[in-house]
Amino acid sequence: WNIFGIYRGAAHYRSYRRLDDRSQRYLADLEVAEDRVMTDGDITLLPAPPDDIHTVAALAPVTTSLLVARSQFSAIREQYLPDRHTYYEVGAVQAAAVG
């Protein structure tokens, strides 16, 4: 599990649940599990990787978030394109890059 929260500001948070069985590489059939605007003090729980599929977009000029992870992330992460029902793999450093 992971805990994600907003300390200050606001963010649009959307998480996904995989519906496929992961048997086809690069294919991902997703459905929205949670979709909301989070503000000061809001938290949510995510499953552990690789099932922590989510997007976050800051809405306020200054938004500070916090992520508490129970274990170390994999060196290779999956980046999802929900509208295209697919994903690609990137290194953990690239996945964490902002911008």
Side-chain angles (χ1 to χ4, degrees):
W1 51 261
N2 297 309
I3 300 170
F4 176 76
I6 300 298
Y7 175 74
R8 180 181 347 193
H12 179 245
Y13 171 83
R14 181 178 293 151
S15 66
Y16 297 89
R17 180 180 307 108
R18 280 194 74 162
L19 302 175
D20 63 284
D21 64 4
R22 292 184 173 267
S23 63
Q24 254 187 299
R25 194 167 186 193
Y26 306 116
L27 173 71
D29 187 17
L30 305 177
E31 73 176 357
V32 174
E34 187 176 356
D35 188 13
R36 66 182 175 134
V37 172
M38 298 175 66
T39 59
D40 299 4
D42 287 342
I43 64 167
T44 191
L45 299 177
L46 294 103
D51 297 314
D52 60 330
I53 305 165
H54 63 281
T55 62
V56 178
L59 301 174
V62 176
T63 298
T64 305
S65 63
L66 173 70
L67 176 66
V68 178
R70 186 170 185 209
S71 61
Q72 186 173 353
F73 291 153
S74 170
I76 301 297
R77 302 285 288 162
E78 296 170 348
Q79 299 274 312
Y80 289 83
L81 303 169
D83 295 342
R84 296 182 181 179
H85 304 282
T86 191
Y87 70 93
Y88 56 96
E89 297 173 342
V90 297
V93 173
Q94 183 181 356
V98 177

